[in-house]
Amino acid sequence: MQVQSLVVIGAGPLPELAMRRGAASLADGLALPLRTLPVGASPDAELLSLASEAPCLLRLAGDPGRLGPDGQSWLDALGAWRLPTLLLGAPSADGSIPGVVPAFLALCESRRVPVLGLAQLGGSWSPQQRRQDGLPWCGWLGESQDPNTSAAREALITLLKQRHSRFSSASATAALTHQP
């Protein structure tokens, strides 16, 4: 099943190298080319260009909630364009998820960004702890030296494809039933 374009953003400040590696791993698993844009680029111009290209995994580098010179943020544009988005969040040293992650999810929801879920970037994966978070976790992108990384990445890719397919079906149905 081919996935259409998907956007990946950090839920709060994340190390650039970790974001780059995580997005590359997702792009590889989804068989999509990876395209990275700085959040300083004009959202509407970039998304218009993206709409005429082949599907890709679009990684936004920087704070997508920051307002640009035109008064629009990338989150506003992702919501307006209805682009499915995956949030990456990193755990604290003790394995807990910092408050910025649920706050960022709430910001995305307030901007009507279609969030497919969250993926934990790095750290140790604890399904029990993530269930207690009460957040829409899709899975974990671990460090390459962790023996569980490959299986976790495959499970994440499978779940992303399922959620994206449901999102695409719901969007198509809404478009067909919405008559101006």
Side-chain angles (χ1 to χ4, degrees):
M1 160 180 28
Q2 174 69 31
V3 173
Q4 296 301 308
S5 290
L6 176 67
V7 180
V8 175
I9 56 178
L14 297 174
E16 176 62 20
L17 182 58
M19 283 291 294
R20 204 176 310 146
R21 286 181 179 159
S25 178
L26 287 170
D28 182 52
L30 293 167
L32 290 172
L34 176 61
R35 184 170 172 194
T36 300
L37 289 174
V39 294
S42 170
D44 283 330
E46 293 294 342
L47 294 176
L48 186 59
S49 171
L50 182 69
S52 64
E53 297 175 9
C56 70
L57 182 83
L58 175 62
R59 180 178 76 88
L60 295 178
D63 180 1
R66 187 184 84 209
L67 293 179
D70 60 357
Q72 182 185 36
S73 74
W74 269 92
L75 291 182
D76 293 327
L78 294 176
W81 284 75
R82 303 294 303 150
L83 282 172
T85 302
L86 175 69
L87 302 178
L88 299 181
S92 299
D94 67 358
S96 66
I97 296 298
V100 69
V101 175
F104 203 88
L105 175 62
L107 178 61
C108 288
E109 290 171 347
S110 76
R111 300 290 193 257
R112 302 188 190 276
V113 176
V115 175
L116 297 182
L118 289 140
Q120 180 180 308
L121 187 60
S124 295
W125 178 248
S126 171
Q128 180 182 1
Q129 230 178 344
R130 296 298 71 95
R131 278 190 294 278
Q132 290 173 347
D133 296 335
L135 300 172
W137 293 102
C138 296
W140 172 58
L141 286 170
E143 304 296 326
S144 58
Q145 64 270 23
D146 188 307
N148 298 316
T149 298
S150 181
R153 185 181 139 248
E154 291 308 312
L156 172 61
I157 297 297
T158 299
L159 187 56
L160 275 176
K161 287 179 179 180
Q162 291 170 354
R163 288 184 180 184
H164 193 281
S165 176
R166 283 193 298 254
F167 169 79
S168 297
S169 296
S171 293
T173 301
L176 290 173
T177 59
H178 178 66
Q179 299 296 320

